[in-house]
Amino acid sequence: MALAAQQALTDCDREILNMIENFGTALEASLFRGAPWPAAWRSNPHSVRERLCEVSFSLGASRGPPLIANLSPTPTLAGFVHGPRHYWELREADGWEGFRQLVDPCERRAALWIVAWHSIPGLDQTLSPGWVDMPGLLNI
């Protein structure tokens, strides 16, 4: 089943997954190994980490779905990247620990996709996560 899903991915789907992987790898290297943040990218690793929490959980006063619930992957990509299947309440004061504890890697990929889209200038429109690409949405 997993092999069939991987084989069904389009070239664009693979490009999106590669972008997500590369963004996550660069963030991890910068946060935990002291690697420099790419100069062409917006913001900084600590701000990006905060944005990942913001899009993964509803951190405001109202209870509702997080931004990743509104992601628009292709049908073939949806098995690899999607928003939450149900509401997650962030119980810890540290949003980063809540993000790290997300069990579903598809949800972590969704957050990375949205934040990467807002952080990396000049990405091709085919890599857009959908309506969540509104300018100024994340103030990055």
Side-chain angles (χ1 to χ4, degrees), residues 6-18:
Q6 287 179 357
Q7 291 174 338
L9 291 170
T10 66
D11 288 343
C12 185
D13 293 337
R14 284 185 177 81
E15 191 174 352
I16 289 168
L17 289 173
N18 286 334

Side-chain angles (χ1 to χ4, degrees), residues 104-135:
D104 190 343
C106 296
E107 293 177 27
R108 287 193 301 268
R109 284 187 207 107
L112 285 163
W113 187 9
I114 292 170
V115 177
W117 176 258
H118 287 271
S119 300
I120 304 172
L123 289 174
D124 190 86
Q125 191 63 32
T126 59
L127 303 178
S128 169
W131 77 267
V132 295
D133 67 354
M134 299 183 316

Side-chain angles (χ1 to χ4, degrees), residues 50-94:
E50 290 175 19
R51 299 299 83 76
L52 287 171
C53 298
E54 287 177 9
V55 302
S56 299
F57 303 99
S58 183
L59 300 177
S62 64
R63 182 179 169 144
L67 190 57
I68 61 172
N70 298 300
L71 196 70
S72 300
T74 62
T76 52
L77 190 58
F80 298 90
V81 182
H82 58 72
R85 306 271 188 227
H86 49 81
Y87 174 78
W88 283 102
E89 184 174 340
L90 186 60
R91 297 182 185 274
E92 306 217 9
D94 185 355

